[in-house]
């Protein structure tokens, strides 16, 4: 499955029920490029019993989203935005995404993010 333009990461929930991918879209393009966008997008997908992915939700992200990780209980997603130097937190409930609180500003540009191996 191709969730969209420019997937920059991929994470599978610890419970194995969902997967997520941040999409660059055109957020990494030069300002003069016709396809330039201000930010990316997060795609949440359910993982079926047959292993197939099905999109369940999308959410707006900052510029050049690169890292994505699930919380240990599979109910939160964390996405880092390279250009914006911040971290977005999303709650997952019933296959839907809700951004939680303000974006967390970071002292530098996050390049990647990892959750514990399962």
């Amino acid at each position: 499955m191709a969730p969209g333009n420019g997937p920059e990461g991929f994470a599978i929930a610890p419970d194995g029920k969902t997967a997520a991918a941040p999409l660059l879209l055109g957020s990494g393009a030069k300002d003069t490029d016709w396809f330039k966008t201000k930010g990316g997008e997060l795609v949440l997908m359910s993982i079926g019993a047959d292993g197939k992915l099905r999109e369940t939700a999308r959410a707006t992200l900052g510029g050049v989203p690169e890292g994505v990780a699930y919380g240990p209980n599979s109910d939160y997603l964390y996405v880092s935005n390279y250009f914006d130097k911040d971290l977005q937190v999303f709650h997952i409930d019933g296959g839907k995404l809700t951004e939680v609180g303000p974006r967390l500003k970071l002292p530098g540009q996050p390049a990647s993010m990892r959750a514990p191996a399962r």
Side-chain angles (χ1 to χ4, degrees), residues 13-15 70-78 90-93 100:
D15 66 8
Y70 277 88
N73 296 325
S74 303
D75 55 350
Y76 285 92
L77 265 171
Y78 306 91
F90 295 91
H91 183 249
I92 303 167
D93 187 23
V100 179

Side-chain angles (χ1 to χ4, degrees), residues 42-44 57-59 77 90-93 95-99:
L42 177 62
V43 179
L44 180 68
R58 287 184 179 251
L77 265 171
F90 295 91
H91 183 249
I92 303 167
D93 187 23
K96 303 296 178 203
L97 292 166
T98 303
E99 190 165 4

Side-chain angles (χ1 to χ4, degrees), residues 30-52:
K30 296 183 291 188
D31 289 338
T32 56
D33 289 336
W34 64 269
F35 54 89
K36 171 75 175 172
T37 61
K38 183 178 178 184
E41 197 169 49
L42 177 62
V43 179
L44 180 68
M45 298 160 279
S46 64
I47 302 174
D50 58 0
K52 291 189 179 183

